[in-house]
């Protein structure tokens, strides 16, 4: 019910982040630089995605669920399934890729966002174990579905390879 929100300044870069998970399967991440919508993403979005995956995986390793699903390693897509997020950064001298200003290219923004999200989200998940369990269960469910789809695909390929021999 509660929407995790945080804002901070790292290395002269203002960062605002709001996250919320839902029951859906689609990822909706909106990113902005100096109030300009960067729908193609950029370094700030890369920092958010890698930090989010890292923090959730670390939290999973610490939890008791890691024993049951020890062979499952969560990917970024698993962690972001059902996520709606808004990331806004304020950069003094933004360097955009392309003429349309829809992708940020500043490399220092990635490390600032990554550091901030690592610290803040790890602390948030520690303080809110119920929320952490819901997020981890959602990600594990996505990982199980991904593995089941891969196994079904492999089985179908093996079956069709055997059928070719009969022809």
């Amino acid at each position: 019910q509660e929407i995790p929100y945080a804002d901070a300044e790292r290395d002269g870069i203002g960062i605002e982040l709001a996250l919320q998970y839902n029951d859906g399967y689609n990822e909706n991440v909106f990113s902005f630089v100096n109030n300009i919508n960067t729908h193609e993403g950029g370094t700030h979005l890369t920092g958010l995605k890698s930090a989010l995956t890292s923090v959730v995986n670390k939290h999973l390793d610490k939890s008791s669920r890691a024993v049951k699903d020890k062979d499952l390693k969560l990917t970024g897509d698993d962690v972001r399934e059902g996520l709606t997020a808004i990331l806004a950064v304020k950069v003094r001298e933004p360097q955009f890729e392309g003429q349309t200003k829809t992708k940020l290219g500043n490399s220092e923004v990635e490390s600032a966002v990554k550091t901030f999200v690592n610290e803040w989200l790890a602390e948030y998940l520690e303080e809110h174990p119920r929320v952490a369990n819901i997020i981890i269960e959602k990600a594990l469910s996505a990982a199980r579905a991904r593995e089941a789809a891969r196994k079904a695909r492999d089985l179908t390929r093996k079956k069709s390879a055997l059928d070719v021999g009969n022809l």
Side-chain angles (χ1 to χ4, degrees):
Q1 302 293 16
E2 176 186 334
I3 298 175
Y5 168 82
D7 63 338
E9 189 168 318
R10 291 277 192 281
D11 305 326
I13 298 166
I15 304 167
E16 281 187 90
L17 175 64
L19 303 169
Q20 186 175 31
Y21 279 87
N22 58 43
D23 293 338
Y25 303 106
N26 296 331
E27 165 191 347
N28 296 307
V29 180
F30 303 98
S31 60
F32 299 88
V33 175
N34 297 349
N35 295 334
I36 297 170
N37 186 355
T38 52
H39 61 267
E40 288 183 28
T43 55
H44 58 314
L45 198 55
T46 305
L48 169 67
K49 288 178 177 182
S50 64
L52 189 65
T53 305
S54 168
V55 169
V56 172
N57 267 317
K58 284 177 189 169
H59 202 79
L60 174 64
D61 290 342
K62 285 190 248 176
S63 77
S64 60
R65 284 190 172 83
V67 175
K68 188 172 78 170
D69 295 304
K70 64 179 178 281
D71 54 331
L72 276 181
K73 185 72 174 160
L74 298 178
T75 65
D77 289 335
D78 298 334
V79 173
R80 293 188 310 269
E81 184 176 287
L83 173 70
T84 300
I86 299 174
L87 172 66
V89 295
K90 301 274 190 211
V91 184
R92 283 200 177 93
E93 295 178 24
Q95 298 168 351
F96 292 101
E97 295 176 11
Q99 201 169 7
T100 56
K101 294 184 176 183
T102 55
K103 189 171 185 180
L104 184 67
N106 296 48
S107 58
E108 69 274 9
V109 177
E110 180 177 355
S111 63
V113 170
K114 196 177 201 175
T115 308
F116 166 69
V117 174
N118 270 323
E119 293 169 3
W120 170 73
L121 192 58
E123 183 180 315
Y124 184 87
L125 293 178
E126 286 294 324
E127 293 174 358
H128 300 85
R130 192 180 68 77
V131 174
N133 287 338
I134 291 169
I135 292 171
I136 287 173
E137 195 52 50
K138 175 99 172 135
L140 284 173
S141 170
R144 288 185 203 108
R146 176 178 44 82
E147 280 298 310
R150 183 189 60 79
K151 286 178 183 174
R153 195 171 43 250
D154 289 349
L155 186 65
T156 304
R157 286 180 181 152
K158 285 179 186 173
K159 192 175 182 182
S160 64
L162 293 173
D163 290 346
V164 171
N166 293 339
L167 293 175

